[in-house]
Amino acid sequence: MAIDLLRCGNVTVDVVMREGVRFLALSILSLVIVILVGSSSLTVWFDRVAYDVLNQYYASFNYAASDVVLIDIDQASIDRFSGWPFDRSVHARAIDVLNSADVSSITYNVAFVGARGTLGAGDEQLMDAIKRSGRVVLPLIAENNQELKPLDKPELPGAILGHADLSLDEDAHLRRHYLYAGLGFPRWPSLSLASLYIYAPVKADDFSGLRTPYLHVGFSKLWSRDYELLLPFGLASFSDRVLRYPLWALLEGKIPVERIRNKAVFVGLNAPTVEDRLQVSSTDAFFSTEVHAFLFSTLNRGYTLSPSLSVWAVTLGVLATLCWSMVLARLPLGLRLLGLSMLLLLLSVPVWLLSFGYWLSIMPMLAGISSMSVILMFGRVLDFCVGIKKPQIN
């Protein structure tokens, strides 16, 4: 099985050609394995495991957000204002207080929807407060193939709508989000991106993300997503270090105005009796408002993690497999060292891209290297066994 193209000795050309064809065939088999693995669910599973490992590794990553303040609708606030849901005049008061404190944006992560025939006094107060502010972001949700807009209004003066969709993977863990989504066409920005449009409009148009081929598939009645991003590392650190106050403290004037002035303020539930936490890892779970605020802060800083197309991972796997085959073949030492150097360079590419915010799967590359090693080792063992069994001719 071993090939020596430059030191044939007394081996015939036919033997060399035959061994070369065998080596080429085995190399092609390894490349086929790379392509099949790169397009299979095995790569998806491996990437989830790798992401979770890195997420745990960077759990203590010091991410202190100076641009965000959280206003928690916690259990103490719920108890003070006669239980959940609040009368909407309470939310109107909160928006007015934030507006008078000159905050940069108010992201109110409460879906003001429900079967209401006519608007009550609290609804009118809420709409007036939103209009007076002019920098409120409200969530849009979808149920039963319908987009449910706040207060059942097609348009709400003073408010920008953002989709609140946080898509879970098959194992019920949150690892990714989408900058745009919507029924039929993903026209609504995410809650975090909509907040950035108010906070820093120039930055809001500078984003990346994996595109989704939804345009020509006929998803006219389905919820469509576009510009996929992975959840950046550091959410646990953000949740621990972000400046936050309870809603009751805001309404009772116990928050110093200078602590929230010119900040992006996110208001949302922080009570497990009302909202379930979203599982991000085996040990960490967070409320949706914490996630949206973290995503806003990462977008504002340009700290994103974009997945790459599988074709690039497969291409990298093919090149790595070819380089490894150069190392395993009995070529001159210089060529083998060249193959090893190129392989090490290719292995560093995913790490290098990760530092720039791009996720490139290494599973196809690992599959190619391991399959090439196993196949060649099996072939050489088989050749050795056949050689032992051959009768010796004197």
Side-chain angles (χ1 to χ4, degrees):
M1 186 67 187
I3 303 171
D4 192 340
L5 298 180
L6 301 181
R7 293 180 291 130
C8 295
N10 57 1
V11 180
T12 65
V13 176
D14 289 341
V15 173
V16 175
M17 291 295 294
R18 185 166 60 251
E19 293 297 321
V21 171
R22 290 177 61 187
F23 186 83
L24 179 61
L26 294 177
S27 299
I28 293 175
L29 177 59
S30 296
L31 297 180
V32 170
I33 292 175
V34 169
I35 296 172
L36 292 178
V37 169
S39 57
S40 70
S41 58
L42 180 62
T43 297
V44 176
W45 171 83
F46 180 86
D47 283 351
R48 288 177 181 173
V49 173
Y51 175 88
D52 290 343
V53 170
L54 288 175
N55 203 18
Q56 287 293 105
Y57 178 78
Y58 288 106
S60 59
F61 174 70
N62 186 10
Y63 191 99
S66 60
D67 50 356
V68 177
V69 174
L70 290 181
I71 302 297
D72 293 329
I73 304 177
D74 57 1
Q75 193 60 51
S77 300
I78 292 174
D79 295 339
R80 285 184 182 233
F81 298 107
S82 304
W84 185 262
F86 296 153
D87 185 273
R88 289 175 178 171
S89 62
V90 176
H91 302 296
R93 287 171 51 202
I95 292 174
D96 281 336
V97 172
L98 292 172
N99 190 44
S100 62
D102 292 327
V103 301
S104 294
S105 63
I106 305 170
T107 304
Y108 220 98
N109 189 26
V110 176
F112 298 112
V113 297
R116 296 198 175 194
T118 57
L119 296 177
D123 298 322
E124 297 288 350
Q125 293 177 35
L126 178 58
M127 288 192 295
D128 290 341
I130 293 172
K131 187 176 182 180
R132 283 192 296 270
S133 173
R135 48 182 180 271
V136 177
V137 180
L138 296 176
L140 176 140
I141 61 175
E143 289 183 358
N144 301 321
N145 290 333
Q146 281 189 321
E147 292 179 344
L148 303 181
K149 298 178 180 179
L151 297 169
D152 300 323
K153 295 288 186 180
E155 293 185 5
L156 204 57
I160 292 180
L161 303 186
H163 77 81
D165 178 28
L166 292 173
S167 176
L168 303 180
D169 287 340
E170 293 177 356
D171 59 353
H173 281 59
L174 178 67
R175 297 185 182 90
R176 67 197 73 244
H177 65 108
Y178 296 84
L179 293 181
Y180 282 90
L183 278 178
F185 184 84
R187 62 187 176 277
W188 300 106
S190 65
L191 208 60
S192 54
L193 184 59
S195 304
L196 191 60
Y197 273 116
I198 294 179
Y199 185 85
V202 176
K203 296 181 180 180
D205 291 324
D206 184 18
F207 54 81
S208 59
L210 184 62
R211 299 301 308 273
T212 304
Y214 61 86
L215 289 176
H216 305 292
V217 187
F219 286 178
S220 58
K221 295 183 179 180
L222 299 180
W223 184 255
S224 303
R225 303 181 178 100
D226 199 9
Y227 289 100
E228 176 187 353
L229 290 173
L230 293 173
L231 199 67
F233 306 128
L235 176 54
S237 175
F238 169 85
S239 179
D240 291 339
R241 293 171 170 80
V242 68
L243 189 63
R244 59 201 313 162
Y245 299 98
L247 181 68
W248 67 263
L250 174 73
L251 295 179
E252 294 181 8
K254 297 186 180 298
I255 301 177
V257 174
E258 62 273 9
R259 303 299 299 274
I260 60 176
R261 182 181 291 118
N262 298 325
K263 304 290 186 179
V265 177
F266 282 72
V267 184
L269 286 163
N270 194 315
T273 57
V274 181
E275 179 179 294
D276 293 330
R277 291 183 173 93
L278 298 170
Q279 202 72 34
V280 173
S281 68
S282 58
T283 57
D284 295 319
F286 305 93
F287 290 104
S288 62
T289 304
E290 295 175 306
V291 176
H292 289 301
F294 172 65
L295 294 176
F296 160 81
S297 184
T298 58
L299 288 173
N300 185 39
R301 294 188 179 190
Y303 171 49
T304 58
L305 187 56
S306 177
S308 303
L309 290 171
S310 60
V311 64
W312 299 119
V314 170
T315 301
L316 193 68
V318 168
L319 294 175
T321 304
L322 293 175
C323 292
W324 185 235
S325 68
M326 292 175 60
V327 177
L328 296 180
R330 288 191 175 178
L331 296 172
L333 181 60
L335 291 178
R336 297 172 71 180
L337 290 177
L338 175 62
L340 181 60
S341 300
M342 293 173 62
L343 177 62
L344 294 176
L345 180 62
L346 291 172
L347 288 173
S348 68
V349 169
V351 179
W352 179 72
L353 288 176
L354 187 62
S355 66
F356 286 94
Y358 292 94
W359 178 277
L360 184 64
S361 177
I362 63 172
M363 184 60 196
M365 184 164 48
L366 296 179
I369 294 174
S370 59
S371 63
M372 174 66 75
S373 302
V374 170
I375 291 172
L376 287 181
M377 186 62 66
F378 177 78
R380 289 177 180 176
V381 171
L382 185 62
D383 283 350
F384 177 76
C385 295
V386 171
I388 293 178
K389 293 181 179 180
K390 280 185 178 181
Q392 298 295 324
I393 302 176
N394 296 322

